[in-house]
Amino acid sequence: MVVRLVKLITLTCLMLVTTSIQAKVDFAASVSTQKVELGKTFTLTLASTGGTGQLSSINFTELARDFHINKSANIEYNEQLNRQHWKLRLTAYNKGQQAIPSLLFNNLRSEIIQINVTDAIDKKTGTPIHLVTQISNQQPWVRQQVLVNIQLKTNIARAKLRLNKAKIKNTFTQTLDINHELISSEQSTQHHYHTGWAVFPLISGKTYIKLPAVELIRDGVTTHRFYHAPFNLEVTALPLYIPATIPVGRIELRNDSSYQYFISEKLYEYKIRLTGHNMLVSHLPNLSNQMSSTPSLRIYPAATIRTQTNTYSGLTSTIEYSFPVKTLKQGATRLEKIRLSYFDPETGTLKTTYHSNLGLLSMNKWLSWLLAVVLIIILIYFFKLILTRTSQYYTKLRTYVDAIKLIKNDCTPQQLRNAMALLSTAEGFSPNITFGAWFKSVPRINQPGDCLDAINELFYKKSGLETKTKVTENIASTILNIAFSNQPVLRYFIRLRTN
């Protein structure tokens, strides 16, 4: 009886000890480091002993506000000890003092862990890498472009950035091209790399945006992964009067709206370039439905070239139309203006613009040839006329030059007479014109009357007939001034001929 009682007491004690061991529950969180660079990952280790449930059931909502969480590692189980072990890879969104919040599991909470996040560092140069992020608008309209701009400021000259495609529900997200800008100063030379995403929300309401990492690659090795903190867009629905086909953003149109000359029954190309700023090429309107044939003009279906340019400042989309055109009748005609409507997100209003369309003048082939022949004849006539007038003027200048040469060389009265005869002939008068008549008709400026008196005294006195008599300097300079006054270009002509 005593032996049975001892066995019962021993068995009860063993059961109590086992129950107390199984009932013991523990939960803790630890990190691999409490100081980390922006863009670098560190490990958060979660460990639990006893209790029920799995570590994957922990709510990480508060942790995800400040850290990107990589849950790819498997949870390790030890069934004998009833122990779970899970390693998570965390990356901070922003630098500064960050905190890993207290996590709840099996009614137990882990301790708050402080993390100091510093600027990213280039290991080769030891210089910091500054990250600047910016969101253009968090309250956009439906289909309005939202830019998520990311700028890296570093001393790395040949850095490479890689952006993965973003798949976000109820949006169209486009990766932007990478722009490299060199900023030089007296202290240092910095390299600025711009990139990011263009997000187009497709439905109204709250849209959750979570973007992939921007990877910094140096010498073929990924050194940092920068994540942008998730954010919400409060998307506003377009007004009810805005059709679904109306683009959201600014549109421009370029074409040759001036009159063009066409020959009837020949095929020509009419080109239009449509450009949309901050919008997808698929959102641009179709202009083909505004290009219709008329009784005097036939328009065929257009060939189109669609391009979409992605820069760090946003998207620019273009459609180039090439319309084959054939005129059916002679005459002048112009197509109706092109109407473009778009929703301006800056003002929140619908805008409509009108652009001049193709204007043309059409002629039959034989009439075109006839006009061409007439035009050639007119051009030949005017060319011949200009050539004749030019030749006459050149002859006139040469006559003036010959006359000036006679006057310049201490001329005799006979040489002066010959010079004045040349000047008179150059102006279309008789070479035998009297000195008085020449002074009244040839000069364009009034000359002193004493010069004519001096000439009359020189020629009509007996001394004027002598061979050795010379013309006075006053008479020669007066005649020369008259010649240069009539033809100012003479000075340049004489200089050119002398050279």
Side-chain angles (χ1 to χ4, degrees), residues 81-144:
L81 300 176
N82 192 19
R83 182 178 177 83
Q84 301 180 63
H85 190 262
W86 195 14
K87 291 184 177 182
L88 303 176
R89 303 291 292 173
L90 303 185
T91 308
Y93 293 130
N94 300 296
K95 66 178 182 178
Q97 199 70 23
Q98 307 292 339
I100 296 178
S102 177
L103 302 175
L104 177 65
F105 181 69
N106 280 334
N107 294 323
L108 297 176
R109 283 195 171 274
S110 63
E111 293 183 357
I112 298 174
I113 304 174
Q114 297 294 329
I115 302 294
N116 182 22
V117 183
T118 63
D119 274 322
I121 301 296
D122 177 31
K123 288 186 177 180
K124 287 195 173 182
T125 61
T127 56
I129 302 171
H130 299 289
L131 177 69
V132 180
T133 62
Q134 185 179 9
I135 303 172
S136 63
N137 184 14
Q138 290 189 249
Q139 294 180 330
W141 298 88
V142 172
R143 290 187 278 123
Q144 181 185 356

Side-chain angles (χ1 to χ4, degrees), residues 138-260:
Q138 290 189 249
Q139 294 180 330
W141 298 88
V142 172
R143 290 187 278 123
Q144 181 185 356
Q145 175 185 259
V146 176
L147 286 180
V148 182
N149 282 319
I150 297 176
Q151 181 183 14
L152 286 178
K153 300 179 180 180
T154 175
N155 288 351
I156 305 175
R158 295 178 180 85
K160 182 180 178 182
L161 300 180
R162 181 168 59 201
L163 282 74
N164 296 318
K165 291 184 178 179
K167 296 181 180 179
I168 304 173
K169 188 177 180 181
N170 298 325
T171 69
F172 182 90
T173 305
Q174 179 70 50
T175 303
L176 300 178
D177 290 344
I178 300 169
N179 180 70
H180 177 209
E181 186 179 1
L182 184 64
I183 307 297
S184 298
S185 63
E186 295 181 358
Q187 291 78 17
S188 63
T189 299
Q190 271 201 338
H191 298 267
H192 291 189
Y193 298 90
H194 299 263
T195 186
W197 290 269
V199 181
F200 295 87
L202 302 180
I203 62 172
S204 60
K206 183 177 290 187
T207 302
Y208 181 73
I209 306 296
K210 186 176 182 180
L211 297 167
V214 177
E215 299 180 3
L216 175 61
I217 302 172
R218 179 167 172 79
D219 299 331
V221 178
T222 301
T223 60
H224 296 80
R225 288 181 174 87
F226 301 100
Y227 288 91
H228 192 284
F231 59 93
N232 289 314
L233 294 179
E234 298 293 338
V235 185
T236 305
L238 296 173
L240 295 177
Y241 62 87
I242 302 295
T245 55
I246 294 295
V248 177
R250 186 166 54 89
I251 293 179
E252 294 179 351
L253 184 143
R254 290 185 180 181
N255 65 335
D256 189 3
S257 59
S258 59
Y259 269 98
Q260 302 182 36

Side-chain angles (χ1 to χ4, degrees), residues 241-243 245-247 251-253 255 270 272 274 284-292 321 335-343 350-358:
Y241 62 87
I242 302 295
T245 55
I246 294 295
I251 293 179
E252 294 179 351
L253 184 143
N255 65 335
Y270 174 51
I272 300 176
L274 186 64
L284 287 174
N286 184 12
L287 297 183
S288 297
N289 54 7
Q290 298 193 49
M291 301 294 293
S292 302
Y321 293 87
L335 298 179
E336 292 185 2
K337 291 185 176 181
I338 299 175
R339 181 178 181 270
L340 288 180
S341 297
Y342 61 92
F343 181 78
L350 179 67
K351 292 190 176 182
T352 301
T353 57
Y354 293 88
H355 302 266
S356 298
N357 210 338
L358 173 65

Side-chain angles (χ1 to χ4, degrees), residues 385-399:
L385 182 63
I386 293 171
L387 191 63
T388 302
R389 294 289 177 86
T390 304
S391 178
Q392 291 175 351
Y393 188 67
Y394 180 75
T395 303
K396 182 177 182 179
L397 291 179
R398 289 188 60 183
T399 305

